[in-house]
Amino acid sequence: MPESFPSGRALNGVCVLVTRPRDQAENLARLIEQEGGEAVRFPVIEIAEPEDDRALPAIIDRLDEFTTAIFVSPNAVDRAMDLIRARRGAWPPGLRVACLGRGSARALKNFGIENAIVPRDRFDSEALLELPELRQVAGNRIVIFRGAGGRELLGDTLTERGAQIEYAECYRRLRPRADVTSLVRRGERGEIHIVSVTSVDGLRNLFHMLGPAGQPWLLRTPLVTVSRRIAEVCRELGFKTKARIAAPASDESILDAIKTWRAAQKSL
């Protein structure tokens, strides 16, 4: 039978690798630590300014031309909305807003936008495209706020439905330079019990950052993620166990998935 733990100690003795970007990791790390676990912070994505610092302001200056604005991530919200406030003072009235997930919706609320269109269950481009608000878009002008080099599915599908699409690149995702020696040693000793990854780019970065020395233990280690797409990439990379998917995509759901995994283990 799985072990049982008192409230607040469900992760006692569990070491979780937290791979969120540095400025987004603390909430999840704190939740893990409140349950008695150890959160090893190892950012696998660095958020940087876009290479072209003129393109985003140019789009923001003509936001009134668009019917709908879509934000693909909290980073896109924060970076775009800060600039919108600086250049325009307020969000254009009548401009409809959509986003991929609850994290982005919460970020939008911080800027006073509370009526965003957001999927209820899955939080990805496919789920957003299934919503009725984005099915009949012929003739609409839609701006997609995203990171450089993001997925094309959203824009391509909306174009096929007759919308005119423009991309507003708010940031770049970089692979950090980091000394992985200590992490690889801990992984080899079995001291990293489960890994949390919240994006495909982050998963691939982690895999490449660890290199041949760290990849064998990584592929043996349980992993919790937030989408089926990331889980599919886990299979492609050769993970030995099926990735657990936290739904909805939130820190609290990731914590619950880790606790559920721990409750099923006889020992670490």
Side-chain angles (χ1 to χ4, degrees), residues 3 13 29 52 61 98 115 120 126 161 188 196 214 221 223 250 263-264:
E3 297 180 48
D52 183 352
D61 288 344
N115 59 345
R120 291 186 177 182
E126 291 84 348
R161 294 175 181 177
E188 290 174 338
S196 67
T221 304
L223 185 141
S250 67

Side-chain angles (χ1 to χ4, degrees), residues 16-29 39-48 75 172-181 183 192 195-210 217:
V16 183
L17 187 65
V18 176
T19 61
R20 281 191 182 280
R22 192 175 307 279
D23 60 351
Q24 299 172 17
E26 284 310 305
N27 185 59
L28 177 58
V40 175
R41 297 154 177 83
F42 187 74
V44 295
I45 290 179
E46 180 181 328
I47 304 300
N75 279 317
R172 290 179 294 145
R173 307 174 198 85
L174 305 179
R175 185 187 302 169
R177 294 183 179 181
D179 184 351
V180 301
T181 304
L183 180 60
I192 305 294
V195 176
S196 67
V197 176
T198 54
S199 72
V200 169
D201 285 343
L203 176 60
R204 294 192 186 279
N205 284 355
L206 175 62
F207 186 80
H208 291 295
M209 289 168 75
L210 291 177
W217 70 258

